[in-house]
Amino acid sequence: MERPRRILLVTGRLAEPLVRKYGEGCDVFVAPVSVAAFLTPELILRHLKRAGVRGEDYDLILIPGLVRGSSRVIEEGLGIPTFKGPRNAMDIPATLRALKKGFKLSREVPADDLFSMDSLKRVEDIRNRTRNRRYIEEALKKPWNLLIGNLPAGRDFPVRILAEVVDAPKLGPERTVERAIYYLREGADVIDIGMVAGETNLDFVELIPEIRESLRERGFEVPLSFDSLNTSEIAAALDHADLFLSVDGGNVEELVTDRPVVLIPTNQKEGYFPSKPTERVEFLERLKEMALDLGYRRIIPDLILEHVPHLARSVVAFHTYRERNPGDVLLAGVGNVVELYDADSVGMNALLAGIGRELSINLLLTTEVSAKARGSVRELRRAIDMNLFEMPKDLGFDLLILKEKRTAHWRFEKAGEVVEAREKPVELENLYFRIWLEGGRIWVNAYRGTRAVLTVVGDDPNGIIDTILERFPLSPRHAFYLGRELERAHTALKLGRSYVQESPLFPDFYSHRNL
């Protein structure tokens, strides 16, 4: 198909300056409406015909991505191929570049959504290729790949995520399975059964086959790793798990197995852990040779990724080890770094996954113990997918959750009269509401005095407020207050945050800056 040369961009009056700026080299048709989102395909067709646009004038028409309905109406009316462009004018250059490369736009789906779908499809294509039986068989012949249960891992496969169920014996089998299913749905590849430090729970170890069977019954055929430094627990689990964390200088001679083990540069019995990167690398190399001589078959070294203020030296240790041992499958525990830093996890997980990619670390271990680390498995999965591309930027999908890639210039022409807002005293009403989150939904109690007279539950603020207004007459100010709080609760729900009525969701960290 010939690349379009003459392109017409359709927009409204308010967005015209931005569309002309970002649509350089294209003609721009400004429809007689303020906001492009108010346009419909039928309305655009009518305006274009009225302006005298003919089939031979253009090779292609791009309408705003915010327009509802199919652009096919315009294409059939004018005889010019017509597609949906991006929602935001700042994404027009990326859309035009994609067109030059032969990217196929849609008549129904905005271009920016298509870019995301296309990138995610490429991610799935990469993953599907590495699921091919013949590919796996050939890859496993190379020393830098191995099997963990039924899961291939190593240099020729995407990075695998181990999600730890911390203190599993305290949870018991049922809650351990619930937690495991949550992690698997978030994107984990291996479930790590974390034991309780300082305890011996041999009865729970014997329940691991039951946990595996429960997961299988729910459709999850996944490897289980076993995380303990207790020699008796590890020995009891040798027939039950697919991978063992952690073998070190203190127990290496007692736990010989042909299953993969994670080897760490410590001797817990003697309290030894080399802090200097070179010493750590050399100690782990000696430990690996000893393990191989003892009869261990598959060894996964872990240099131990330390939290700040020792993160840099542990990254140096990983880098040094990787340079000296390019064929080893490596594991790094990123959860410690995130859990011990009071900052949003999403950026840290993205950066740690990027460091892991550069160092060819093949397995990443994490957990979600604290509230601030909630979502770490999902964040790591997205970061790993982004790292399948050469540069984790401009992919059509990202990890920008609270920040934005570009500032949206959304302004309107001011009216002739501009007044400063003033708050008025609020008149108390004999009806009040209490809002909370439970089970992933928004709950509202309506009270008269101390008695709850109605409970409304829903997922969407609009449905909840409409239901309340059907039952109770509210003043406009009260209805506005309720709508504001419901939207705040909905935002907390989407971000996995807690919600307390009339309390701010976010600190005023940026409020004094001229953003």
Side-chain angles (χ1 to χ4, degrees):
M1 175 182 173
E2 187 179 350
R3 305 289 183 260
R5 297 185 304 277
R6 300 167 302 163
I7 298 175
L8 178 65
L9 306 176
V10 176
T11 188
R13 287 195 292 261
L14 287 174
E16 179 188 357
L18 285 175
V19 172
R20 291 193 184 279
K21 175 183 175 181
Y22 291 108
E24 188 177 355
C26 301
D27 288 350
V28 177
F29 176 81
V30 183
V33 297
S34 297
V35 182
F38 295 159
L39 290 167
T40 65
E42 292 79 10
L43 197 57
I44 293 172
L45 176 61
R46 195 181 313 149
H47 290 314
L48 289 173
K49 282 186 173 180
R50 193 174 296 163
V53 175
R54 297 170 300 172
E56 60 269 22
D57 292 342
Y58 295 100
D59 300 312
L60 184 141
I61 296 174
L62 285 182
I63 67 173
L66 289 171
V67 172
R68 294 188 177 185
S70 173
S71 65
R72 194 179 298 277
V73 174
I74 304 166
E75 184 170 324
E76 292 175 350
L78 293 175
I80 304 172
T82 304
F83 301 95
K84 283 196 173 182
R87 292 184 178 88
N88 195 308
M90 289 177 285
D91 290 319
I92 289 174
T95 304
L96 296 176
R97 287 195 299 271
L99 277 171
K100 287 181 179 178
K101 294 177 182 177
F103 188 85
K104 293 182 179 179
L105 297 178
S106 168
R107 296 173 179 84
E108 288 79 25
V109 181
D112 37 344
D113 283 356
L114 277 184
F115 296 151
S116 176
M117 291 161 58
D118 180 66
S119 295
L120 292 172
K121 182 179 180 300
R122 281 186 283 163
V123 167
E124 193 58 29
D125 287 345
I126 293 169
R127 292 191 174 278
N128 284 337
R129 188 176 73 245
T130 61
R131 293 185 187 114
N132 179 273
R133 189 181 66 177
R134 185 172 296 176
Y135 178 92
I136 293 171
E137 289 173 351
E138 289 301 314
L140 289 175
K141 295 175 183 177
K142 301 170 185 174
W144 50 78
N145 300 309
L146 53 74
L147 271 179
I148 302 172
N150 59 359
L151 180 74
R155 188 193 301 175
D156 295 320
F157 298 93
V159 174
R160 306 304 192 184
I161 297 174
L162 285 76
E164 181 184 0
V165 180
V166 176
D167 292 343
K170 292 183 178 180
L171 297 178
E174 288 186 14
R175 289 174 61 199
T176 296
V177 169
E178 289 175 9
R179 193 67 182 159
I181 290 173
Y182 160 75
Y183 282 145
L184 291 166
R185 286 175 175 162
E186 291 290 284
D189 301 294
V190 179
I191 296 301
D192 185 49
I193 306 295
M195 301 300 284
V196 182
E199 294 184 10
T200 300
N201 291 284
L202 299 180
D203 290 343
F204 183 82
V205 174
E206 297 304 318
L207 296 175
I208 292 176
E210 179 183 318
I211 292 170
R212 188 191 296 275
E213 185 58 32
S214 293
L215 289 172
R216 188 178 290 125
E217 288 173 357
R218 289 164 173 80
F220 297 101
E221 186 79 38
V222 295
L224 299 180
S225 60
F226 187 77
D227 200 343
S228 174
L229 283 165
N230 185 310
T231 303
S232 60
E233 286 182 340
I234 300 175
L238 287 177
D239 292 329
H240 302 322
D242 304 298
L243 172 67
F244 293 90
L245 291 66
S246 301
V247 176
D248 76 345
N251 60 16
V252 66
E253 296 182 10
E254 304 171 43
L255 301 164
V256 178
T257 176
D258 58 357
R259 299 192 183 190
V261 300
V262 174
L263 199 61
I264 59 175
T266 66
N267 187 321
Q268 297 288 333
K269 288 182 178 179
E270 298 179 2
Y272 176 68
F273 173 55
S275 58
K276 293 182 179 179
T278 304
E279 292 177 4
R280 193 182 308 185
V281 169
E282 291 173 349
F283 179 69
L284 188 55
E285 287 174 336
R286 291 195 301 271
L287 205 56
K288 182 179 72 171
E289 290 304 314
M290 181 191 301
L292 291 171
D293 290 342
L294 287 168
Y296 288 86
R297 296 280 301 280
R298 301 313 304 259
I299 295 170
I300 301 172
D302 173 8
L303 280 294
I304 301 183
L305 196 63
E306 299 172 87
H307 57 81
V308 173
H310 304 304
L311 176 61
R313 75 182 185 191
S314 57
V315 171
V316 171
F318 269 101
H319 182 267
T320 304
Y321 187 92
R322 174 51 82 201
E323 283 194 327
R324 293 164 59 142
N325 302 272
D328 283 7
V329 175
L330 298 185
L331 177 143
V334 298
N336 240 12
V337 180
V338 175
E339 291 279 3
L340 295 172
Y341 207 125
D342 281 346
D344 289 336
S345 62
V346 61
M348 287 192 286
N349 279 318
L351 185 59
L352 290 168
I355 292 171
R357 175 198 172 181
E358 289 191 33
L359 299 176
S360 190
I361 296 172
N362 317 103
L363 302 160
L364 296 178
L365 170 67
T366 193
T367 188
E368 299 183 10
V369 175
S370 64
K372 67 188 177 189
R374 192 177 302 144
S376 284
V377 173
R378 180 180 291 238
E379 292 160 9
L380 272 179
R381 169 56 62 212
R382 172 57 63 87
I384 288 167
D385 288 347
M386 292 170 68
N387 287 334
L388 293 173
F389 299 87
E390 187 164 338
M391 177 76 74
K393 184 178 182 292
D394 297 331
L395 300 176
F397 66 103
D398 52 50
L399 269 170
L400 293 165
I401 310 300
L402 297 179
K403 298 294 186 72
E404 56 188 356
K405 189 176 177 69
R406 305 179 186 88
T407 301
H409 298 279
W410 192 247
R411 303 285 188 275
F412 295 90
E413 187 177 341
K414 300 177 183 69
E417 182 183 9
V418 178
V419 298
E420 192 71 27
R422 290 182 302 162
E423 187 174 355
K424 292 183 178 181
V426 178
E427 295 183 11
L428 295 179
E429 300 180 25
N430 65 349
L431 180 74
Y432 67 96
F433 299 88
R434 286 291 173 260
I435 306 167
W436 76 99
L437 303 180
E438 183 180 327
R441 308 191 79 192
I442 303 172
W443 298 74
V444 183
N445 268 1
Y447 290 89
R448 292 194 189 278
T450 58
R451 187 171 69 91
V453 295
L454 182 70
T455 298
V456 180
V457 59
D459 305 303
D460 177 67
N462 291 332
I464 294 172
I465 193 69
D466 286 346
T467 303
I468 289 172
L469 291 174
E470 283 178 356
R471 300 295 190 103
F472 305 104
L474 299 181
S475 66
R477 179 65 180 273
H478 199 170
F480 177 81
Y481 162 81
L482 197 58
R484 182 189 67 194
E485 284 298 320
L486 286 170
E487 190 58 42
R488 186 180 289 167
H490 189 237
T491 299
L493 199 62
K494 288 194 294 184
L495 293 176
R497 293 181 66 101
S498 54
Y499 164 80
V500 178
Q501 193 169 341
E502 297 184 17
S503 296
L505 280 182
F506 307 104
D508 293 334
F509 185 78
Y510 296 106
S511 60
H512 301 299
R513 291 183 59 191
N514 182 18
L515 299 178

